[in-house]
Amino acid sequence: MINKTITIETQLAATPETVWSFLTNPSLLSEWLMPNNITPEKGREFQFKTKSRVKLGFDGLISCQILKLKQYSEISYTWQGILAHEQHQLATTITWTLQTQSTNQTLLKLKQEGFIGFKNLIPYAILQKSWQRLLSQKLPLAIAKYQAEI
């Protein structure tokens, strides 16, 4: 059986505290990812809202629940979306890990696991490409803009 995992690492010119804010503060997370209502508390449910994909039957909502929370170092949550016309649910888990590299440098690791079965190959490919772009371009730009303003 197919079981894929996305793993991406990126070096960011920011402290773990700053990077953490971009993962757990709803307005900062919206700056580089998508609108959300995250509250960083274990067990808390929240949603991301993106464009719906009518042809795929995707309503644009990604439902999440925080599974693990270790301030400034790790956050893990479920990531679930439904393709209505196929009655197919994507049910994965995302784990973000932050490691201090040096002064004002953080290694951010993303692991999204649970792409099980043939039907999850397309979401896997789409999300892998999206995460690479987001973590190499959008997140660093959002952090740089934020740091320039403070």
Side-chain angles (χ1 to χ4, degrees), residues 76-90:
S76 180
Y77 48 83
T78 59
W79 177 281
Q80 299 181 3
I82 297 175
L83 298 179
H85 74 279
E86 294 183 19
Q87 296 299 310
H88 173 70
Q89 181 170 352
L90 174 66

Side-chain angles (χ1 to χ4, degrees), residues 16-29:
E17 293 81 7
T18 297
V19 175
W20 181 258
S21 294
F22 278 85
L23 297 175
T24 60
N25 177 301
S27 62
L28 294 176
L29 185 56

Side-chain angles (χ1 to χ4, degrees), residues 29-85:
L29 185 56
S30 294
E31 290 282 322
W32 68 276
L33 189 49
M34 57 187 123
N36 65 87
N37 63 342
I38 192 171
T39 300
E41 296 174 8
K42 187 176 179 184
R44 179 72 75 157
E45 294 180 359
F46 67 98
Q47 288 185 325
F48 287 104
K49 176 72 175 151
T50 188
K51 292 189 297 185
S52 60
R53 305 284 195 260
V54 177
K55 289 182 181 179
L56 296 176
F58 176 57
D59 64 4
L61 293 177
I62 299 162
S63 298
C64 305
Q65 182 176 22
I66 297 177
L67 303 172
K68 187 174 183 181
L69 189 71
K70 193 172 175 186
Q71 192 170 25
Y72 308 130
S73 65
E74 183 177 7
I75 183 169
S76 180
Y77 48 83
T78 59
W79 177 281
Q80 299 181 3
I82 297 175
L83 298 179
H85 74 279

Side-chain angles (χ1 to χ4, degrees), residues 2-8 56 79 81 83 86 88-94 110-134:
I2 297 169
N3 188 351
K4 296 278 196 179
T5 299
I6 295 170
T7 305
I8 300 172
L56 296 176
W79 177 281
L83 298 179
E86 294 183 19
H88 173 70
Q89 181 170 352
L90 174 66
T92 62
T93 301
I94 288 184
L110 161 72
K111 183 177 184 181
Q112 186 171 10
E113 53 192 330
F115 295 93
I116 299 170
F118 181 74
K119 287 185 175 185
N120 280 326
L121 286 178
I122 291 174
Y124 167 81
I126 291 168
L127 283 165
Q128 181 162 2
K129 186 175 181 177
S130 295
W131 284 125
Q132 288 171 340
R133 181 182 54 81
L134 289 164

